Amino acid sequence: MPRHATPTRRRRAHLLTALAIAAAMLGAAPAGTTPARAAQVPTQVAANPYERGPAPTVASIEATRGPFAIATSTVSRSTATGFGGGTIYYPTTTSAGTFGAVAISPGYFGTQSSISWYGSRLASQGFVIITIDTFSIFDEPDSRGTQLLAALDYLTQRSTARNRIDATRLAVMGHSMGGGSLAAAATRPQLQAAIPLTPYHDKSDWSAVRVPTLVIGAENDTTAPVTSYAEPFYTSLPSTLDKAYLELNNAGHSAPTSSNVTIAKYSISWLKRFIDNDTRYEQFLCPAPSGTTIEEYRDTCPHS
């Protein structure tokens, strides 16, 4: 992976600059200010200006709602450009700074109702989310990938939530033929994260992807069997990439279309880690998690 071109590397450079500025600020602390007090706030802010929300716990990433109150707005098909409309979920606060954003696509025959549960759950953790309808329920994966990117462009440039979004911190997710999220990631390497959910695509080689990617498969998926799709997709991603493969134990193809604690907790952790550069969530990804709901987990730890 060309390290100079990655968003993660650029972000780390920004953070190092911020730390240098913070150090200079500490050196010029006013008389009477204790060193501990002077170091506390500037270092915390400079260490990660993208951090949103309190320190995470297992309970917080498994909860159906996070710490942020949210609101929604509808994007009609006639208003949308390049996709079939959708719903925007966003934190109501304007005091926490801007947020990263995620566009999510349904699968074949699916509408946004099948992925609506991600909207409120992820937005309440500190993201702006758009769940989309595609032009047609029959749209192919590449078309869905193009529509995901169009939805992100709408979200950051024209939507009522645009002023709440940091347009440099974006991601895509998609169920089934929403495996087009991989195509979106290959097309736009500036994305911060991609999460294909029990994905399908007729292309198996994703070695061109440069976006940190979490592939989620399901053990009993007979529509897009993991041995033919999710696993080869993961394997084809570059070994130098931040990537992970999570296989849901005793689950089928439609598992991502209803509220699922395992999908939520690791999707939140992945998005927080790579959209927000929040290393507080590293603990949930490395070392590799396990449990009764996980059939298999592989990754390229460490991410830091």
Short mmCIF file of all heavy atoms in Angstrom, two decimals, residues 199-263:
data_model
loop_
_atom_site.label_atom_id
_atom_site.label_comp_id
_atom_site.label_asym_id
_atom_site.label_seq_id
_atom_site.Cartn_x
_atom_site.Cartn_y
_atom_site.Cartn_z
N PRO A 199 -21.46 -10.20 1.96
CA PRO A 199 -21.42 -9.57 0.63
C PRO A 199 -21.48 -10.55 -0.53
O PRO A 199 -21.03 -11.69 -0.44
CB PRO A 199 -20.07 -8.86 0.66
CG PRO A 199 -19.22 -9.73 1.55
CD PRO A 199 -20.16 -10.20 2.63
N TYR A 200 -22.02 -10.02 -1.64
CA TYR A 200 -21.99 -10.70 -2.92
C TYR A 200 -21.41 -9.76 -3.96
O TYR A 200 -21.71 -8.56 -3.97
CB TYR A 200 -23.39 -11.12 -3.37
CG TYR A 200 -23.41 -11.61 -4.80
CD1 TYR A 200 -23.16 -12.94 -5.10
CD2 TYR A 200 -23.64 -10.72 -5.85
CE1 TYR A 200 -23.14 -13.38 -6.43
CE2 TYR A 200 -23.62 -11.16 -7.17
CZ TYR A 200 -23.37 -12.48 -7.46
OH TYR A 200 -23.33 -12.91 -8.75
N HIS A 201 -20.57 -10.29 -4.82
CA HIS A 201 -20.08 -9.57 -5.99
C HIS A 201 -19.51 -10.62 -6.93
O HIS A 201 -18.95 -11.62 -6.48
CB HIS A 201 -19.02 -8.53 -5.61
CG HIS A 201 -18.82 -7.46 -6.64
ND1 HIS A 201 -18.27 -7.71 -7.87
CD2 HIS A 201 -19.12 -6.13 -6.61
CE1 HIS A 201 -18.23 -6.58 -8.58
NE2 HIS A 201 -18.76 -5.60 -7.83
N ASP A 202 -19.66 -10.39 -8.23
CA ASP A 202 -19.13 -11.38 -9.16
C ASP A 202 -17.62 -11.23 -9.36
O ASP A 202 -16.99 -12.04 -10.04
CB ASP A 202 -19.85 -11.35 -10.51
CG ASP A 202 -19.86 -9.98 -11.16
OD1 ASP A 202 -19.15 -9.08 -10.67
OD2 ASP A 202 -20.59 -9.80 -12.16
N LYS A 203 -17.05 -10.20 -8.78
CA LYS A 203 -15.60 -10.01 -8.79
C LYS A 203 -15.03 -10.53 -7.48
O LYS A 203 -15.60 -10.29 -6.41
CB LYS A 203 -15.28 -8.52 -8.95
CG LYS A 203 -13.80 -8.18 -8.86
CD LYS A 203 -13.59 -6.68 -9.01
CE LYS A 203 -12.13 -6.31 -8.81
NZ LYS A 203 -11.90 -4.85 -8.99
N SER A 204 -13.93 -11.25 -7.55
CA SER A 204 -13.37 -11.82 -6.33
C SER A 204 -12.04 -11.20 -5.92
O SER A 204 -11.59 -11.40 -4.79
CB SER A 204 -13.17 -13.34 -6.49
OG SER A 204 -12.31 -13.61 -7.59
N ASP A 205 -11.42 -10.44 -6.81
CA ASP A 205 -10.11 -9.86 -6.53
C ASP A 205 -10.26 -8.40 -6.11
O ASP A 205 -10.60 -7.54 -6.93
CB ASP A 205 -9.22 -9.97 -7.77
CG ASP A 205 -7.82 -9.40 -7.53
OD1 ASP A 205 -7.52 -9.01 -6.38
OD2 ASP A 205 -7.02 -9.36 -8.49
N TRP A 206 -9.99 -8.12 -4.85
CA TRP A 206 -10.09 -6.76 -4.33
C TRP A 206 -8.73 -6.26 -3.85
O TRP A 206 -8.64 -5.48 -2.91
CB TRP A 206 -11.13 -6.71 -3.21
CG TRP A 206 -12.49 -7.06 -3.74
CD1 TRP A 206 -13.16 -8.24 -3.61
CD2 TRP A 206 -13.31 -6.21 -4.55
NE1 TRP A 206 -14.35 -8.18 -4.29
CE2 TRP A 206 -14.47 -6.94 -4.88
CE3 TRP A 206 -13.18 -4.89 -5.03
CZ2 TRP A 206 -15.50 -6.42 -5.65
CZ3 TRP A 206 -14.19 -4.36 -5.82
CH2 TRP A 206 -15.33 -5.12 -6.12
N SER A 207 -7.69 -6.69 -4.53
CA SER A 207 -6.33 -6.31 -4.14
C SER A 207 -6.06 -4.82 -4.37
O SER A 207 -5.07 -4.29 -3.85
CB SER A 207 -5.31 -7.15 -4.92
OG SER A 207 -5.49 -7.00 -6.33
N ALA A 208 -6.92 -4.15 -5.14
CA ALA A 208 -6.73 -2.71 -5.39
C ALA A 208 -7.28 -1.84 -4.26
O ALA A 208 -7.03 -0.63 -4.23
CB ALA A 208 -7.39 -2.32 -6.71
N VAL A 209 -8.01 -2.43 -3.32
CA VAL A 209 -8.61 -1.65 -2.24
C VAL A 209 -7.53 -1.15 -1.29
O VAL A 209 -6.63 -1.90 -0.89
CB VAL A 209 -9.66 -2.49 -1.47
CG1 VAL A 209 -10.10 -1.78 -0.19
CG2 VAL A 209 -10.85 -2.78 -2.37
N ARG A 210 -7.63 0.11 -0.93
CA ARG A 210 -6.68 0.73 0.01
C ARG A 210 -7.39 1.30 1.24
O ARG A 210 -6.80 2.07 1.99
CB ARG A 210 -5.92 1.87 -0.70
CG ARG A 210 -5.04 1.39 -1.86
CD ARG A 210 -3.92 0.49 -1.36
NE ARG A 210 -3.05 0.03 -2.43
CZ ARG A 210 -3.21 -1.11 -3.09
NH1 ARG A 210 -4.22 -1.92 -2.78
NH2 ARG A 210 -2.37 -1.46 -4.04
N VAL A 211 -8.63 0.90 1.43
CA VAL A 211 -9.47 1.40 2.51
C VAL A 211 -9.58 0.33 3.60
O VAL A 211 -9.87 -0.83 3.29
CB VAL A 211 -10.88 1.75 1.98
CG1 VAL A 211 -11.79 2.19 3.11
CG2 VAL A 211 -10.78 2.84 0.91
N PRO A 212 -9.34 0.67 4.87
CA PRO A 212 -9.51 -0.32 5.94
C PRO A 212 -10.89 -0.99 5.86
O PRO A 212 -11.92 -0.31 5.86
CB PRO A 212 -9.37 0.52 7.22
CG PRO A 212 -8.46 1.64 6.81
CD PRO A 212 -8.87 1.97 5.40
N THR A 213 -10.89 -2.32 5.78
CA THR A 213 -12.12 -3.05 5.45
C THR A 213 -12.39 -4.17 6.44
O THR A 213 -11.52 -5.01 6.71
CB THR A 213 -12.03 -3.64 4.03
OG1 THR A 213 -11.84 -2.57 3.09
CG2 THR A 213 -13.29 -4.40 3.67
N LEU A 214 -13.61 -4.18 6.96
CA LEU A 214 -14.11 -5.27 7.80
C LEU A 214 -15.14 -6.04 6.99
O LEU A 214 -16.20 -5.50 6.65
CB LEU A 214 -14.75 -4.71 9.08
CG LEU A 214 -15.57 -5.69 9.93
CD1 LEU A 214 -14.71 -6.83 10.46
CD2 LEU A 214 -16.26 -4.96 11.08
N VAL A 215 -14.85 -7.28 6.66
CA VAL A 215 -15.77 -8.14 5.93
C VAL A 215 -16.53 -9.00 6.93
O VAL A 215 -15.92 -9.70 7.75
CB VAL A 215 -15.03 -9.05 4.93
CG1 VAL A 215 -16.02 -9.94 4.16
CG2 VAL A 215 -14.20 -8.22 3.95
N ILE A 216 -17.86 -8.94 6.88
CA ILE A 216 -18.67 -9.74 7.80
C ILE A 216 -19.43 -10.80 7.01
O ILE A 216 -20.22 -10.48 6.11
CB ILE A 216 -19.66 -8.85 8.58
CG1 ILE A 216 -18.88 -7.85 9.45
CG2 ILE A 216 -20.59 -9.70 9.45
CD1 ILE A 216 -19.74 -6.94 10.29
N GLY A 217 -19.17 -12.06 7.32
CA GLY A 217 -19.84 -13.17 6.68
C GLY A 217 -20.70 -13.93 7.69
O GLY A 217 -20.69 -13.63 8.89
N ALA A 218 -21.45 -14.91 7.20
CA ALA A 218 -22.33 -15.70 8.07
C ALA A 218 -22.13 -17.18 7.78
O ALA A 218 -22.16 -17.60 6.61
CB ALA A 218 -23.79 -15.30 7.84
N GLU A 219 -21.94 -17.96 8.82
CA GLU A 219 -21.59 -19.37 8.69
C GLU A 219 -22.57 -20.14 7.82
O GLU A 219 -22.17 -20.97 6.99
CB GLU A 219 -21.54 -20.00 10.08
CG GLU A 219 -21.20 -21.48 10.07
CD GLU A 219 -21.32 -22.12 11.44
OE1 GLU A 219 -21.92 -21.51 12.35
OE2 GLU A 219 -20.82 -23.27 11.60
N ASN A 220 -23.87 -19.90 7.98
CA ASN A 220 -24.88 -20.69 7.27
C ASN A 220 -25.48 -19.94 6.07
O ASN A 220 -26.62 -20.20 5.69
CB ASN A 220 -26.00 -21.08 8.24
CG ASN A 220 -25.50 -21.98 9.35
OD1 ASN A 220 -24.49 -22.68 9.20
ND2 ASN A 220 -26.18 -21.96 10.49
N ASP A 221 -24.72 -19.05 5.50
CA ASP A 221 -25.18 -18.29 4.35
C ASP A 221 -25.19 -19.19 3.11
O ASP A 221 -24.14 -19.60 2.62
CB ASP A 221 -24.26 -17.09 4.12
CG ASP A 221 -24.80 -16.10 3.10
OD1 ASP A 221 -25.66 -16.48 2.28
OD2 ASP A 221 -24.33 -14.94 3.11
N THR A 222 -26.38 -19.49 2.61
CA THR A 222 -26.49 -20.31 1.40
C THR A 222 -26.72 -19.46 0.16
O THR A 222 -26.64 -19.96 -0.97
CB THR A 222 -27.65 -21.31 1.53
OG1 THR A 222 -28.87 -20.61 1.80
CG2 THR A 222 -27.38 -22.30 2.67
N THR A 223 -27.00 -18.17 0.34
CA THR A 223 -27.19 -17.26 -0.79
C THR A 223 -25.85 -16.77 -1.32
O THR A 223 -25.61 -16.74 -2.54
CB THR A 223 -28.05 -16.06 -0.36
OG1 THR A 223 -29.30 -16.55 0.13
CG2 THR A 223 -28.28 -15.11 -1.52
N ALA A 224 -24.98 -16.36 -0.41
CA ALA A 224 -23.62 -15.95 -0.76
C ALA A 224 -22.66 -16.66 0.19
O ALA A 224 -22.16 -16.07 1.15
CB ALA A 224 -23.47 -14.43 -0.66
N PRO A 225 -22.43 -17.95 -0.05
CA PRO A 225 -21.61 -18.74 0.89
C PRO A 225 -20.26 -18.09 1.14
O PRO A 225 -19.61 -17.58 0.22
CB PRO A 225 -21.46 -20.08 0.17
CG PRO A 225 -22.63 -20.15 -0.78
CD PRO A 225 -22.87 -18.74 -1.21
N VAL A 226 -19.84 -18.12 2.39
CA VAL A 226 -18.59 -17.45 2.75
C VAL A 226 -17.39 -18.02 2.00
O VAL A 226 -16.43 -17.31 1.70
CB VAL A 226 -18.35 -17.49 4.27
CG1 VAL A 226 -19.39 -16.67 5.00
CG2 VAL A 226 -18.32 -18.93 4.79
N THR A 227 -17.43 -19.31 1.70
CA THR A 227 -16.29 -19.91 1.01
C THR A 227 -16.16 -19.42 -0.43
O THR A 227 -15.08 -19.49 -1.01
CB THR A 227 -16.42 -21.45 0.99
OG1 THR A 227 -17.70 -21.81 0.43
CG2 THR A 227 -16.30 -22.02 2.39
N SER A 228 -17.24 -18.89 -0.98
CA SER A 228 -17.21 -18.39 -2.36
C SER A 228 -17.12 -16.87 -2.44
O SER A 228 -16.71 -16.33 -3.47
CB SER A 228 -18.48 -18.84 -3.11
OG SER A 228 -18.57 -20.24 -3.16
N TYR A 229 -17.49 -16.17 -1.36
CA TYR A 229 -17.57 -14.71 -1.42
C TYR A 229 -16.81 -14.05 -0.27
O TYR A 229 -15.70 -13.54 -0.49
CB TYR A 229 -19.04 -14.28 -1.46
CG TYR A 229 -19.74 -14.79 -2.69
CD1 TYR A 229 -20.53 -15.95 -2.64
CD2 TYR A 229 -19.59 -14.16 -3.92
CE1 TYR A 229 -21.14 -16.45 -3.79
CE2 TYR A 229 -20.18 -14.65 -5.07
CZ TYR A 229 -20.96 -15.79 -4.99
OH TYR A 229 -21.55 -16.28 -6.14
N ALA A 230 -17.36 -14.01 0.91
CA ALA A 230 -16.76 -13.21 1.99
C ALA A 230 -15.30 -13.58 2.26
O ALA A 230 -14.43 -12.70 2.37
CB ALA A 230 -17.58 -13.36 3.27
N GLU A 231 -14.99 -14.88 2.36
CA GLU A 231 -13.62 -15.29 2.65
C GLU A 231 -12.65 -14.94 1.52
O GLU A 231 -11.59 -14.36 1.78
CB GLU A 231 -13.58 -16.78 2.98
CG GLU A 231 -14.19 -17.11 4.34
CD GLU A 231 -14.09 -18.59 4.67
OE1 GLU A 231 -13.77 -19.39 3.76
OE2 GLU A 231 -14.34 -18.94 5.83
N PRO A 232 -12.98 -15.28 0.26
CA PRO A 232 -12.07 -14.86 -0.82
C PRO A 232 -11.92 -13.35 -0.93
O PRO A 232 -10.85 -12.85 -1.27
CB PRO A 232 -12.72 -15.45 -2.07
CG PRO A 232 -13.56 -16.58 -1.58
CD PRO A 232 -14.05 -16.15 -0.24
N PHE A 233 -13.00 -12.61 -0.67
CA PHE A 233 -12.90 -11.15 -0.70
C PHE A 233 -11.86 -10.69 0.31
O PHE A 233 -10.99 -9.87 0.00
CB PHE A 233 -14.25 -10.51 -0.37
CG PHE A 233 -15.33 -10.72 -1.39
CD1 PHE A 233 -16.65 -10.35 -1.12
CD2 PHE A 233 -15.07 -11.31 -2.63
CE1 PHE A 233 -17.65 -10.54 -2.06
CE2 PHE A 233 -16.07 -11.52 -3.57
CZ PHE A 233 -17.38 -11.13 -3.27
N TYR A 234 -11.98 -11.21 1.54
CA TYR A 234 -11.04 -10.82 2.59
C TYR A 234 -9.61 -11.22 2.21
O TYR A 234 -8.67 -10.41 2.34
CB TYR A 234 -11.42 -11.48 3.91
CG TYR A 234 -10.35 -11.33 4.97
CD1 TYR A 234 -10.23 -10.14 5.69
CD2 TYR A 234 -9.45 -12.36 5.23
CE1 TYR A 234 -9.24 -9.99 6.65
CE2 TYR A 234 -8.45 -12.22 6.18
CZ TYR A 234 -8.35 -11.03 6.88
OH TYR A 234 -7.35 -10.88 7.82
N THR A 235 -9.44 -12.42 1.75
CA THR A 235 -8.11 -12.91 1.41
C THR A 235 -7.47 -12.09 0.30
O THR A 235 -6.25 -11.86 0.31
CB THR A 235 -8.18 -14.39 0.99
OG1 THR A 235 -8.76 -15.16 2.05
CG2 THR A 235 -6.80 -14.95 0.67
N SER A 236 -8.27 -11.62 -0.65
CA SER A 236 -7.72 -10.87 -1.78
C SER A 236 -7.29 -9.46 -1.41
O SER A 236 -6.50 -8.84 -2.12
CB SER A 236 -8.76 -10.80 -2.91
OG SER A 236 -9.80 -9.89 -2.61
N LEU A 237 -7.81 -8.93 -0.30
CA LEU A 237 -7.39 -7.61 0.13
C LEU A 237 -5.91 -7.64 0.48
O LEU A 237 -5.39 -8.66 0.96
CB LEU A 237 -8.20 -7.18 1.36
CG LEU A 237 -9.69 -6.93 1.14
CD1 LEU A 237 -10.42 -6.85 2.49
CD2 LEU A 237 -9.93 -5.66 0.34
N PRO A 238 -5.18 -6.56 0.24
CA PRO A 238 -3.73 -6.57 0.49
C PRO A 238 -3.39 -6.96 1.92
O PRO A 238 -4.07 -6.56 2.87
CB PRO A 238 -3.32 -5.12 0.19
CG PRO A 238 -4.37 -4.59 -0.71
CD PRO A 238 -5.65 -5.26 -0.29
N SER A 239 -2.32 -7.72 2.09
CA SER A 239 -1.90 -8.13 3.42
C SER A 239 -1.40 -6.95 4.24
O SER A 239 -1.35 -7.02 5.47
CB SER A 239 -0.80 -9.20 3.31
OG SER A 239 0.32 -8.68 2.62
N THR A 240 -1.03 -5.87 3.56
CA THR A 240 -0.55 -4.67 4.25
C THR A 240 -1.69 -3.77 4.71
O THR A 240 -1.46 -2.78 5.41
CB THR A 240 0.35 -3.86 3.32
OG1 THR A 240 -0.35 -3.61 2.09
CG2 THR A 240 1.65 -4.62 3.02
N LEU A 241 -2.91 -4.11 4.33
CA LEU A 241 -4.07 -3.29 4.65
C LEU A 241 -4.59 -3.59 6.06
O LEU A 241 -4.51 -4.72 6.53
CB LEU A 241 -5.18 -3.58 3.63
CG LEU A 241 -6.45 -2.73 3.69
CD1 LEU A 241 -6.16 -1.30 3.28
CD2 LEU A 241 -7.53 -3.34 2.78
N ASP A 242 -5.13 -2.57 6.72
CA ASP A 242 -5.89 -2.83 7.94
C ASP A 242 -7.19 -3.51 7.51
O ASP A 242 -8.04 -2.89 6.85
CB ASP A 242 -6.21 -1.51 8.66
CG ASP A 242 -4.98 -0.91 9.32
OD1 ASP A 242 -4.24 -1.66 9.97
OD2 ASP A 242 -4.77 0.31 9.17
N LYS A 243 -7.34 -4.78 7.84
CA LYS A 243 -8.51 -5.54 7.41
C LYS A 243 -8.87 -6.58 8.46
O LYS A 243 -8.03 -6.98 9.28
CB LYS A 243 -8.26 -6.22 6.06
CG LYS A 243 -7.16 -7.29 6.09
CD LYS A 243 -7.04 -7.98 4.72
CE LYS A 243 -6.00 -9.10 4.76
NZ LYS A 243 -5.95 -9.86 3.48
N ALA A 244 -10.13 -7.01 8.43
CA ALA A 244 -10.58 -8.06 9.35
C ALA A 244 -11.71 -8.84 8.70
O ALA A 244 -12.42 -8.33 7.83
CB ALA A 244 -11.04 -7.47 10.68
N TYR A 245 -11.83 -10.08 9.11
CA TYR A 245 -12.92 -10.95 8.64
C TYR A 245 -13.64 -11.50 9.87
O TYR A 245 -13.03 -12.17 10.72
CB TYR A 245 -12.38 -12.10 7.80
CG TYR A 245 -13.44 -13.14 7.47
CD1 TYR A 245 -14.46 -12.85 6.57
CD2 TYR A 245 -13.42 -14.41 8.07
CE1 TYR A 245 -15.44 -13.78 6.28
CE2 TYR A 245 -14.39 -15.34 7.78
CZ TYR A 245 -15.41 -15.03 6.88
OH TYR A 245 -16.38 -15.95 6.60
N LEU A 246 -14.92 -11.19 9.97
CA LEU A 246 -15.75 -11.67 11.07
C LEU A 246 -16.83 -12.58 10.50
O LEU A 246 -17.61 -12.15 9.65
CB LEU A 246 -16.40 -10.49 11.79
CG LEU A 246 -17.55 -10.80 12.77
CD1 LEU A 246 -17.05 -11.65 13.93
CD2 LEU A 246 -18.18 -9.52 13.28
N GLU A 247 -16.86 -13.83 10.96
CA GLU A 247 -17.90 -14.76 10.51
C GLU A 247 -18.86 -15.02 11.67
O GLU A 247 -18.45 -15.48 12.75
CB GLU A 247 -17.29 -16.07 10.02
CG GLU A 247 -18.31 -17.03 9.43
CD GLU A 247 -17.66 -18.25 8.80
OE1 GLU A 247 -16.67 -18.07 8.04
OE2 GLU A 247 -18.13 -19.37 9.07
N LEU A 248 -20.12 -14.73 11.43
CA LEU A 248 -21.15 -14.90 12.46
C LEU A 248 -21.46 -16.38 12.64
O LEU A 248 -21.70 -17.11 11.66
CB LEU A 248 -22.42 -14.15 12.06
CG LEU A 248 -22.27 -12.64 11.84
CD1 LEU A 248 -23.53 -12.09 11.19
CD2 LEU A 248 -21.98 -11.94 13.15
N ASN A 249 -21.48 -16.83 13.86
CA ASN A 249 -21.77 -18.22 14.16
C ASN A 249 -23.25 -18.54 13.95
O ASN A 249 -24.13 -17.80 14.41
CB ASN A 249 -21.37 -18.54 15.61
CG ASN A 249 -21.60 -19.98 15.97
OD1 ASN A 249 -21.25 -20.88 15.21
ND2 ASN A 249 -22.20 -20.21 17.12
N ASN A 250 -23.52 -19.64 13.24
CA ASN A 250 -24.88 -20.15 13.09
C ASN A 250 -25.86 -19.09 12.59
O ASN A 250 -27.01 -18.99 13.05
CB ASN A 250 -25.38 -20.71 14.43
CG ASN A 250 -26.59 -21.61 14.27
OD1 ASN A 250 -26.76 -22.27 13.23
ND2 ASN A 250 -27.45 -21.64 15.27
N ALA A 251 -25.40 -18.28 11.63
CA ALA A 251 -26.23 -17.19 11.08
C ALA A 251 -26.35 -17.36 9.58
O ALA A 251 -25.51 -17.98 8.93
CB ALA A 251 -25.63 -15.84 11.43
N GLY A 252 -27.40 -16.77 9.01
CA GLY A 252 -27.64 -16.86 7.58
C GLY A 252 -27.44 -15.53 6.87
O GLY A 252 -27.05 -14.53 7.46
N HIS A 253 -27.78 -15.52 5.59
CA HIS A 253 -27.52 -14.38 4.73
C HIS A 253 -28.22 -13.10 5.20
O HIS A 253 -27.69 -12.00 5.05
CB HIS A 253 -27.96 -14.71 3.30
CG HIS A 253 -27.62 -13.66 2.29
ND1 HIS A 253 -26.31 -13.39 1.92
CD2 HIS A 253 -28.40 -12.80 1.58
CE1 HIS A 253 -26.31 -12.43 1.01
NE2 HIS A 253 -27.56 -12.05 0.80
N SER A 254 -29.39 -13.25 5.77
CA SER A 254 -30.18 -12.07 6.15
C SER A 254 -29.86 -11.56 7.55
O SER A 254 -30.49 -10.61 8.01
CB SER A 254 -31.67 -12.39 6.05
OG SER A 254 -32.02 -13.42 6.98
N ALA A 255 -28.87 -12.14 8.22
CA ALA A 255 -28.54 -11.71 9.57
C ALA A 255 -28.31 -10.20 9.69
O ALA A 255 -28.74 -9.59 10.67
CB ALA A 255 -27.31 -12.46 10.09
N PRO A 256 -27.68 -9.55 8.70
CA PRO A 256 -27.45 -8.11 8.84
C PRO A 256 -28.70 -7.25 8.68
O PRO A 256 -28.62 -6.02 8.87
CB PRO A 256 -26.46 -7.81 7.71
CG PRO A 256 -25.80 -9.11 7.40
CD PRO A 256 -26.89 -10.11 7.59
N THR A 257 -29.85 -7.82 8.34
CA THR A 257 -31.04 -7.01 8.10
C THR A 257 -31.90 -6.82 9.34
O THR A 257 -32.96 -6.19 9.26
CB THR A 257 -31.90 -7.63 6.98
OG1 THR A 257 -32.39 -8.91 7.41
CG2 THR A 257 -31.11 -7.78 5.70
N SER A 258 -31.47 -7.32 10.48
CA SER A 258 -32.19 -7.07 11.73
C SER A 258 -31.17 -6.81 12.82
O SER A 258 -29.99 -7.19 12.71
CB SER A 258 -33.09 -8.25 12.10
OG SER A 258 -32.34 -9.44 12.22
N SER A 259 -31.60 -6.15 13.87
CA SER A 259 -30.69 -5.72 14.93
C SER A 259 -29.84 -6.89 15.43
O SER A 259 -30.36 -7.95 15.80
CB SER A 259 -31.52 -5.15 16.09
OG SER A 259 -30.68 -4.69 17.12
N ASN A 260 -28.54 -6.71 15.42
CA ASN A 260 -27.61 -7.78 15.74
C ASN A 260 -26.48 -7.19 16.57
O ASN A 260 -25.73 -6.33 16.09
CB ASN A 260 -27.08 -8.40 14.45
CG ASN A 260 -26.18 -9.59 14.69
OD1 ASN A 260 -25.10 -9.45 15.25
ND2 ASN A 260 -26.60 -10.77 14.23
N VAL A 261 -26.35 -7.63 17.81
CA VAL A 261 -25.37 -7.07 18.73
C VAL A 261 -23.94 -7.26 18.21
O VAL A 261 -23.11 -6.34 18.27
CB VAL A 261 -25.51 -7.68 20.13
CG1 VAL A 261 -24.36 -7.24 21.04
CG2 VAL A 261 -26.84 -7.28 20.75
N THR A 262 -23.63 -8.45 17.69
CA THR A 262 -22.27 -8.72 17.23
C THR A 262 -21.89 -7.83 16.06
O THR A 262 -20.80 -7.26 16.03
CB THR A 262 -22.12 -10.21 16.86
OG1 THR A 262 -22.49 -11.01 17.99
CG2 THR A 262 -20.70 -10.53 16.46
N ILE A 263 -22.79 -7.73 15.08
CA ILE A 263 -22.51 -6.85 13.95
C ILE A 263 -22.33 -5.41 14.43
O ILE A 263 -21.40 -4.71 14.02
CB ILE A 263 -23.64 -6.91 12.90
CG1 ILE A 263 -23.68 -8.30 12.25
CG2 ILE A 263 -23.46 -5.83 11.84
CD1 ILE A 263 -24.85 -8.49 11.30
#
